[in-house]
């Protein structure tokens, strides 16, 4: 699949108390990857067998939806430290098609991986207009025949250039692994899924 992609990301944050210690946030972005190649070895997916030499096309559609809450346990003019939790909802659709063999194959699988996370956040004011913002979400679940884990880290430098508009540059690293040994567990799929997306993010921020 394509290793390099451009992703549109939307996020929002709402501090809903007078002391600004309680916060709700929302994140959504979508990954669309595809690729095609000639099979170099035998590939087995369920009852379908793709033999060496056949043309193979694949696509992966993955959405990341995060909702979370955090509480700032330490807050002053220079620093804001918070703990919290959230839920990642990740719909995944995977498709494979092959041609050139005795039988053309078209395979499509979809499932949703819901995972709760524990969050740590640290915002540091370097100057009145420059901020360093850091966040990590992490969780690991092992239940019945299901294993799932997620780590999402972000380091961002923000410049609040105007009264209600700012700009940012961030480094993002998102890793997800889900494994189900049978389809009767908490997950609605059978097999192992690993996904990692990391890279730089340029963004525009509006704040009130």
């Amino acid at each position: 699949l394509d290793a390099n992609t451009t992703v549109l990301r939307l996020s929002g944050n709402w501090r809903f108390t007078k002391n600004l210690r309680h916060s709700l946030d929302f994140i959504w972005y979508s990954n669309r990857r595809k690729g095609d190649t000639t099979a170099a070895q035998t590939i087995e997916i369920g009852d379908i067998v793709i033999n060496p030499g056949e043309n193979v096309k694949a696509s992966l559609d993955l959405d990341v939806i995060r909702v979370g809450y955090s509480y700032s346990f330490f807050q002053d003019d220079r620093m804001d430290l918070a703990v919290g939790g959230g839920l990642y909802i990740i719909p995944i659709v995977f498709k494979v098609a092959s041609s050139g063999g005795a039988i053309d194959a078209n395979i499509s699988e979809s499932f949703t991986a819901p995972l709760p996370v524990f969050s740590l956040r640290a915002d540091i004011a370097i100057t009145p207009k420059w901020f360093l913002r850091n966040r990590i979400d992490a969780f690991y679940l092992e239940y019945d025949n299901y294993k799932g884990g997620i780590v999402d880290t972000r380091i961002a430098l923000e410049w609040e250039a105007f009264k209600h508009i700012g700009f940012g540059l961030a480094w993002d690293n998102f890793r997800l692994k889900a494994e189900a040994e049978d389809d009767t567990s908490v997950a609605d799929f059978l097999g192992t899924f690993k996904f990692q997306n990391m890279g730089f993010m340029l963004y525009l921020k509006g704040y009130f």
Side-chain angles (χ1 to χ4, degrees):
L1 302 178
D2 298 332
N4 299 313
T5 58
T6 300
V7 176
L8 173 65
R9 177 167 173 161
L10 302 175
S11 62
N13 176 268
W14 177 36
R15 293 180 181 265
F16 57 92
T17 57
K18 291 183 179 181
N19 60 13
L20 302 181
R21 291 183 179 270
H22 299 270
S23 177
L24 294 175
D25 58 84
F26 170 81
I27 295 173
W28 170 83
Y29 60 94
S30 179
N31 286 273
R32 299 289 184 263
R33 296 186 179 182
K34 60 183 179 179
D36 60 86
T37 187
T38 300
Q41 61 187 29
T42 300
I43 303 172
E44 296 185 13
I45 305 176
D47 298 329
I48 303 297
V49 177
I50 300 173
N51 297 306
E54 295 185 24
N55 297 321
V56 182
K57 294 183 179 181
S59 65
L60 174 68
D61 297 342
L62 182 148
D63 289 274
V64 177
I65 304 167
R66 178 191 183 276
V67 290
Y69 163 82
S70 63
Y71 173 75
S72 299
F73 63 90
F74 178 82
Q75 195 178 72
D76 63 13
D77 293 338
R78 296 294 304 275
M79 186 176 295
D80 186 343
L81 303 178
V83 296
L87 179 67
Y88 279 79
I89 303 170
I90 307 174
I92 299 167
V93 178
F94 177 65
K95 297 180 181 179
V96 176
S98 71
S99 60
I103 300 176
D104 291 346
N106 289 280
I107 305 151
S108 179
E109 295 289 341
S110 64
F111 64 96
T112 300
L115 285 173
V117 290
F118 175 76
S119 302
L120 292 174
R121 177 172 54 81
D123 296 335
I124 302 171
I126 303 173
T127 71
K129 288 187 173 292
W130 287 90
F131 295 85
L132 181 64
R133 304 193 187 277
N134 309 280
R135 195 196 76 234
I136 179 169
D137 294 337
F139 188 76
Y140 178 80
L141 172 67
E142 186 171 342
Y143 176 78
D144 196 10
N145 292 316
Y146 173 80
K147 297 178 182 178
I150 187 171
V151 178
D152 190 2
T153 57
R154 179 187 179 195
I155 301 174
L157 181 64
E158 283 187 6
W159 175 40
E160 295 188 351
F162 306 103
K163 185 176 181 180
H164 296 296
I165 297 177
F167 304 92
L169 173 65
W171 169 259
D172 230 55
N173 187 0
F174 175 85
R175 290 181 291 167
L176 167 69
K177 180 179 180 181
E179 180 178 345
E181 296 180 359
D182 63 70
D183 55 7
T184 61
S185 62
V186 296
D188 56 351
F189 79 104
L190 174 64
T192 300
F193 180 83
K194 296 180 181 179
F195 179 83
Q196 181 174 15
N197 184 55
M198 62 180 177
F200 288 102
M201 178 172 62
L202 291 170
Y203 60 93
L204 173 69
K205 176 183 177 180
Y207 55 94
F208 305 92

